[in-house]
Amino acid sequence: MALLKIARMGHPVLLQTAQPVEDVHSLSVRQLVSDMIETMLDARGAGLAAPQVHKSLRLFVYHVPEQRCAEGEAPIPPRVLINPEITPVGDAIMHCTEGCLSLPLLRGVVPRHAIVGYKGFDLDGSVISGEARGFHANVLQHEFDHLNGILYTMRIRDFASFGYADELITPRDSED
């Protein structure tokens, strides 16, 4: 396994639409996923899309750590979603304070669908599908955006809610 270099905002790979993964069973895809999980965990991220590691492929890895779970939700160990489809379920919107490994130290408040359906493949080529809400829905939408050349900053509506994590007071923070 190896730690991969993470592309930072401004690199052209982050603005491209990623290409479908043709062979989910390939050794190169297995190695990429393994390295991406190691890189994500080392960087203390919740997700990492292939374009972020300079690979224009439609796959991402993610996890939901226990500390990010809402009441009644279970943590999700690291997993991959290959050639994903994400669709909104209902009209409810949540406002998420997001960061990104490609924009180190920065955070911003982004509107996201509160519930999404997801479908894709795992490394065995088996279909994975379900509904996600809360942080799980947030991370899926954030990583899916990367596959379409969209950074979370492109979704920010009020740039007063964007800044360095250690300086920013977000609406969520001020409610505590």
Side-chain angles (χ1 to χ4, degrees), residues 150-171:
I150 300 169
L151 297 172
Y152 81 89
T153 53
M154 298 170 180
R155 296 203 181 274
I156 294 174
R157 292 188 181 155
D158 178 2
F159 275 86
S161 71
F162 177 64
Y164 288 97
D166 60 351
E167 299 286 342
L168 188 64
I169 297 176
T170 63

Side-chain angles (χ1 to χ4, degrees), residues 82-155:
I82 300 171
N83 295 332
E85 299 171 23
I86 306 289
T87 54
V89 175
D91 296 326
I93 299 293
M94 60 183 174
H95 291 88
C96 306
T97 302
E98 294 188 14
C100 181
L101 297 176
S102 293
L103 289 84
L105 308 177
L106 295 170
R107 299 283 183 271
V109 176
V110 179
R112 296 286 186 189
H113 295 282
I115 306 171
V116 295
Y118 64 92
K119 183 178 178 181
F121 298 94
D122 65 14
L123 283 174
D124 296 323
S126 299
V127 174
I128 302 169
S129 64
E131 280 190 2
R133 59 190 72 238
F135 184 74
H136 186 192
N138 179 197
V139 73
L140 290 177
Q141 292 170 85
H142 178 105
E143 299 308 328
F144 186 73
D145 272 355
H146 277 299
L147 305 183
N148 296 311
I150 300 169
L151 297 172
Y152 81 89
T153 53
M154 298 170 180
R155 296 203 181 274

Side-chain angles (χ1 to χ4, degrees), residues 95 169-176:
H95 291 88
I169 297 176
T170 63
R172 182 176 173 193
D173 296 333
S174 63
E175 292 176 6
D176 292 339

